[in-house]
Amino acid sequence: MRNRYVVCYDIANQKRWRQVYRIMRGFGDAVQYSVFCCDLSPSERMLMIMALTEVMNQREDRVMVVDIGPADGRGKACIEALGKPLAPNSSERITVVV
């Protein structure tokens, strides 16, 4: 069972920011700058956290992972955006090797 996660990050260094962005593209869809929507199994969630932890500077950077529920249930319907529509879902995925 997959849950939907909203992942937001605040990365202090541009090089690390690009690395985090590349990692996140492998797990979900960008919905705003530094915000991704990811449908992940528990093991995929752990892989994502491990990959992010390797790149982050724990003293300077912050990543927030919010579980909003089952990807085919509450998680699918509880994101609301105002203004410009969210970007269409990208089917392109990048494999992240940890």
Side-chain angles (χ1 to χ4, degrees):
M1 178 173 178
R2 292 176 173 269
N3 274 15
R4 181 158 290 177
Y5 297 89
V6 174
V7 180
C8 312
Y9 51 90
D10 187 10
I11 306 298
N13 173 279
Q14 280 294 317
K15 181 180 176 185
R16 290 195 310 272
W17 184 89
R18 284 189 297 273
Q19 291 173 316
V20 167
Y21 177 78
R22 281 189 218 112
I23 289 169
M24 289 309 304
R25 284 187 59 202
F27 288 98
D29 298 314
V31 292
Q32 285 192 240
Y33 291 116
S34 302
V35 180
F36 277 74
C37 184
C38 308
D39 294 345
L40 304 172
S41 68
S43 61
E44 290 169 332
R45 178 183 170 276
M46 286 307 301
L47 287 173
M48 178 187 75
I49 289 173
M50 290 171 48
L52 291 171
T53 302
E54 282 188 19
V55 170
M56 292 175 58
N57 178 322
Q58 299 291 328
R59 294 182 180 180
E60 297 181 4
D61 305 330
R62 180 179 319 126
V63 175
M64 183 171 66
V65 180
V66 180
D67 182 351
I68 57 174
D72 57 352
R74 181 183 183 278
K76 186 175 184 178
C78 70
I79 295 179
E80 184 175 355
L82 304 175
K84 194 165 83 173
L86 298 174
N89 287 346
S90 168
S91 60
E92 177 185 347
R93 293 285 187 254
I94 300 169
T95 302
V96 177
V97 178
V98 180

